[in-house]
Amino acid sequence: MPKIKFTIITLFREAIEPYLSSSMMWKATDKGIVEFDYVNLRDFGLGPHKSVDDTPYGGGDGMLLRCEPVFAAIESVKAKDPTAKVIIPTPVGRTWDQSFARELSNTSKEEPRHYIIFCPHYEGYDERILSLVDYKISLGRYVLTGGELPALIIIDSITRLLPGVLGGEQSAEIESFSDGDNLEYPQYTKPADFCGLKVPDILLSGNHGAIAKWREEHSGHVI
Ligand code: ADE
Protein backbone atom coordinates (compact mmCIF):
# COMPACT_ATOMS: atom_id res chain seq x y z
CA MET A 1 0.00 0.00 0.00
CA PRO A 2 1.52 3.37 -0.98
CA LYS A 3 1.87 6.02 1.71
CA ILE A 4 0.06 8.51 -0.51
CA LYS A 5 -2.19 7.99 -3.49
CA PHE A 6 -2.91 10.91 -5.78
CA THR A 7 -5.90 10.70 -8.10
CA ILE A 8 -5.75 13.47 -10.65
CA ILE A 9 -8.96 14.57 -12.33
CA THR A 10 -7.98 16.33 -15.53
CA LEU A 11 -8.83 16.93 -19.15
CA PHE A 12 -5.10 16.90 -19.98
CA ARG A 13 -3.52 13.74 -18.59
CA GLU A 14 -0.86 14.00 -21.28
CA ALA A 15 0.37 17.24 -19.70
CA ILE A 16 0.89 15.56 -16.33
CA GLU A 17 1.90 11.96 -16.87
CA PRO A 18 5.38 12.46 -18.39
CA TYR A 19 6.59 14.34 -15.31
CA LEU A 20 5.15 11.82 -12.87
CA SER A 21 6.79 8.97 -14.80
CA SER A 22 10.25 10.54 -14.64
CA SER A 23 13.08 10.92 -12.19
CA MET A 24 12.19 11.03 -8.48
CA MET A 25 8.44 10.75 -9.02
CA TRP A 26 9.01 7.56 -10.97
CA LYS A 27 11.38 6.26 -8.28
CA ALA A 28 8.82 7.00 -5.56
CA THR A 29 6.21 5.12 -7.58
CA ASP A 30 8.56 2.23 -8.27
CA LYS A 31 9.32 1.91 -4.55
CA GLY A 32 5.58 1.83 -3.79
CA ILE A 33 5.74 5.05 -1.77
CA VAL A 34 3.26 6.92 -3.98
CA GLU A 35 0.66 5.88 -6.52
CA PHE A 36 -0.83 8.01 -9.27
CA ASP A 37 -4.20 7.46 -10.83
CA TYR A 38 -5.97 9.54 -13.46
CA VAL A 39 -9.62 10.32 -14.07
CA ASN A 40 -10.63 11.88 -17.38
CA LEU A 41 -13.17 14.61 -16.66
CA ARG A 42 -14.42 14.22 -20.24
CA ASP A 43 -15.73 10.73 -19.34
CA PHE A 44 -18.29 12.50 -17.13
CA GLY A 45 -19.22 15.12 -19.75
CA LEU A 46 -22.81 15.76 -20.77
CA GLY A 47 -24.55 14.88 -24.02
CA PRO A 48 -23.15 13.50 -27.24
CA HIS A 49 -20.21 15.94 -27.12
CA LYS A 50 -19.36 15.09 -23.52
CA SER A 51 -19.55 18.75 -22.70
CA VAL A 52 -17.94 19.85 -19.42
CA ASP A 53 -18.41 23.62 -19.50
CA ASP A 54 -20.92 26.38 -20.17
CA THR A 55 -21.27 30.16 -20.18
CA PRO A 56 -21.44 32.09 -16.87
CA TYR A 57 -24.76 33.32 -15.48
CA GLY A 58 -24.76 37.10 -15.42
CA GLY A 59 -22.60 37.27 -18.52
CA GLY A 60 -18.88 37.58 -19.01
CA ASP A 61 -16.18 36.09 -21.14
CA GLY A 62 -15.30 32.47 -21.41
CA MET A 63 -16.65 29.22 -20.18
CA LEU A 64 -16.89 27.68 -16.73
CA LEU A 65 -16.56 24.04 -15.78
CA ARG A 66 -20.03 22.96 -14.77
CA CYS A 67 -21.09 21.12 -11.65
CA GLU A 68 -22.46 17.85 -13.02
CA PRO A 69 -19.30 16.39 -14.60
CA VAL A 70 -17.04 17.58 -11.79
CA PHE A 71 -19.29 16.28 -9.00
CA ALA A 72 -19.68 12.96 -10.84
CA ALA A 73 -15.92 12.62 -11.36
CA ILE A 74 -15.07 13.40 -7.73
CA GLU A 75 -17.88 11.20 -6.42
CA SER A 76 -16.70 8.30 -8.59
CA VAL A 77 -13.39 8.36 -6.73
CA LYS A 78 -14.95 8.98 -3.31
CA ALA A 79 -17.31 6.03 -3.84
CA LYS A 80 -14.23 3.77 -3.77
CA ASP A 81 -12.46 5.69 -1.00
CA PRO A 82 -14.65 7.96 1.13
CA THR A 83 -11.58 9.05 3.14
CA ALA A 84 -9.99 10.75 0.10
CA LYS A 85 -9.46 14.49 0.48
CA VAL A 86 -10.09 16.86 -2.41
CA ILE A 87 -7.59 19.50 -3.50
CA ILE A 88 -8.32 22.25 -6.01
CA PRO A 89 -5.51 24.44 -7.31
CA THR A 90 -6.88 27.96 -7.56
CA PRO A 91 -5.31 31.42 -7.45
CA VAL A 92 -7.67 32.33 -4.59
CA GLY A 93 -6.56 29.47 -2.31
CA ARG A 94 -4.18 29.31 0.66
CA THR A 95 -0.64 29.94 -0.55
CA TRP A 96 1.40 26.79 -1.00
CA ASP A 97 4.62 26.72 0.99
CA GLN A 98 6.91 24.22 2.65
CA SER A 99 4.94 24.00 5.89
CA PHE A 100 1.72 23.38 3.94
CA ALA A 101 3.55 20.65 1.99
CA ARG A 102 4.71 19.10 5.28
CA GLU A 103 1.16 19.25 6.62
CA LEU A 104 -0.19 17.29 3.66
CA SER A 105 2.75 14.86 3.58
CA ASN A 106 2.05 14.33 7.27
CA THR A 107 4.68 11.64 7.56
CA SER A 108 4.02 11.04 11.25
CA LYS A 109 0.69 9.35 10.55
CA GLU A 110 0.74 5.66 9.76
CA GLU A 111 -2.39 5.34 7.68
CA PRO A 112 -2.13 5.89 3.93
CA ARG A 113 -3.60 9.07 2.54
CA HIS A 114 -5.43 9.69 -0.69
CA TYR A 115 -5.64 13.08 -2.35
CA ILE A 116 -7.93 13.79 -5.27
CA ILE A 117 -6.55 16.75 -7.21
CA PHE A 118 -9.15 18.32 -9.44
CA CYS A 119 -7.48 20.40 -12.16
CA PRO A 120 -9.71 23.26 -13.30
CA HIS A 121 -9.41 24.56 -16.83
CA TYR A 122 -10.82 27.11 -19.19
CA GLU A 123 -11.83 30.41 -17.56
CA GLY A 124 -12.88 28.92 -14.26
CA TYR A 125 -15.36 26.69 -12.49
CA ASP A 126 -18.82 26.90 -10.97
CA GLU A 127 -18.38 28.08 -7.37
CA ARG A 128 -20.61 25.26 -6.05
CA ILE A 129 -17.80 22.81 -6.86
CA LEU A 130 -15.97 24.18 -3.81
CA SER A 131 -18.52 22.48 -1.55
CA LEU A 132 -16.66 19.21 -2.28
CA VAL A 133 -13.19 20.64 -1.70
CA ASP A 134 -11.02 20.19 1.40
CA TYR A 135 -7.99 22.25 0.31
CA LYS A 136 -7.97 25.29 -1.98
CA ILE A 137 -4.32 25.83 -2.91
CA SER A 138 -2.74 28.81 -4.64
CA LEU A 139 0.74 28.60 -6.10
CA GLY A 140 1.12 32.36 -5.91
CA ARG A 141 -0.27 35.65 -7.03
CA TYR A 142 -0.39 34.98 -10.75
CA VAL A 143 -2.87 33.21 -12.99
CA LEU A 144 -2.16 30.05 -14.96
CA THR A 145 -4.34 28.53 -17.67
CA GLY A 146 -5.12 25.40 -15.71
CA GLY A 147 -4.53 23.28 -12.64
CA GLU A 148 -2.06 20.82 -14.17
CA LEU A 149 1.17 22.70 -13.40
CA PRO A 150 0.05 23.48 -9.83
CA ALA A 151 -0.94 19.81 -9.37
CA LEU A 152 2.58 18.72 -10.37
CA ILE A 153 4.19 21.19 -8.00
CA ILE A 154 1.94 20.12 -5.13
CA ILE A 155 2.59 16.42 -5.80
CA ASP A 156 6.35 16.87 -6.18
CA SER A 157 6.78 18.92 -3.02
CA ILE A 158 4.71 16.45 -0.95
CA THR A 159 6.34 13.35 -2.41
CA ARG A 160 9.95 14.42 -1.81
CA LEU A 161 9.12 14.71 1.92
CA LEU A 162 8.03 11.07 2.22
CA PRO A 163 10.52 8.73 3.88
CA GLY A 164 12.50 6.74 1.33
CA VAL A 165 12.12 9.14 -1.58
CA LEU A 166 15.36 11.09 -1.09
CA GLY A 167 16.72 8.43 1.28
CA GLY A 168 20.43 8.24 1.92
CA GLU A 169 21.23 11.34 -0.03
CA GLN A 170 21.84 13.56 2.95
CA SER A 171 24.80 12.90 5.19
CA ALA A 172 24.37 12.74 8.94
CA GLU A 173 26.37 15.92 9.39
CA ILE A 174 24.05 17.88 7.14
CA GLU A 175 20.98 16.45 8.82
CA SER A 176 22.23 17.59 12.21
CA PHE A 177 21.81 21.14 10.93
CA SER A 178 18.64 20.76 8.95
CA ASP A 179 15.52 18.69 8.51
CA GLY A 180 16.48 18.00 4.93
CA ASP A 181 14.52 20.93 3.57
CA ASN A 182 16.95 23.64 4.43
CA LEU A 183 19.75 22.88 2.01
CA GLU A 184 20.05 26.32 0.53
CA TYR A 185 23.74 26.83 1.23
CA PRO A 186 26.22 27.06 -1.65
CA GLN A 187 27.34 23.66 -2.92
CA TYR A 188 30.24 22.65 -5.17
CA THR A 189 31.51 19.54 -6.92
CA LYS A 190 34.71 18.73 -8.81
CA PRO A 191 36.92 20.36 -9.99
CA ALA A 192 38.11 22.32 -6.93
CA ASP A 193 39.46 25.01 -9.24
CA PHE A 194 37.51 25.74 -12.41
CA CYS A 195 39.25 28.35 -14.56
CA GLY A 196 40.31 30.18 -11.39
CA LEU A 197 36.86 29.91 -9.75
CA LYS A 198 37.76 28.13 -6.52
CA VAL A 199 35.77 26.03 -4.08
CA PRO A 200 36.06 27.52 -0.54
CA ASP A 201 39.03 25.92 1.25
CA ILE A 202 36.96 24.86 4.25
CA LEU A 203 34.91 22.46 2.11
CA LEU A 204 38.15 20.69 1.11
CA SER A 205 39.40 20.52 4.72
CA GLY A 206 37.68 17.27 5.74
CA ASN A 207 36.69 18.95 9.01
CA HIS A 208 33.02 17.96 9.19
CA GLY A 209 32.22 20.16 12.17
CA ALA A 210 33.73 23.23 10.51
CA ILE A 211 31.97 22.40 7.24
CA ALA A 212 28.62 22.06 8.98
CA LYS A 213 29.18 25.41 10.73
CA TRP A 214 30.17 27.07 7.42
CA ARG A 215 27.04 25.69 5.75
CA GLU A 216 24.82 26.89 8.57
CA GLU A 217 26.40 30.36 8.35
CA HIS A 218 25.94 30.44 4.58
CA SER A 219 22.44 28.96 4.51
CA GLY A 220 19.88 31.11 2.77
CA HIS A 221 17.23 29.87 5.24
CA VAL A 222 14.66 30.17 2.52
CA ILE A 223 12.33 27.74 4.26
N1 ADE B 1 -4.79 28.09 -11.36
C1 ADE B 1 -4.55 29.19 -12.09
N2 ADE B 1 -3.64 29.97 -11.47
C2 ADE B 1 -3.29 29.34 -10.31
C3 ADE B 1 -2.41 29.64 -9.26
N3 ADE B 1 -1.69 30.75 -9.21
N4 ADE B 1 -2.33 28.76 -8.25
C4 ADE B 1 -3.06 27.65 -8.26
N5 ADE B 1 -3.92 27.31 -9.22
C5 ADE B 1 -4.04 28.15 -10.25
Side-chain angles (χ1 to χ4, degrees), residues 89-91 137-140 142-147 150:
T90 166
I137 298 179
S138 167
L139 265 290
Y142 48 85
V143 182
L144 300 163
T145 57

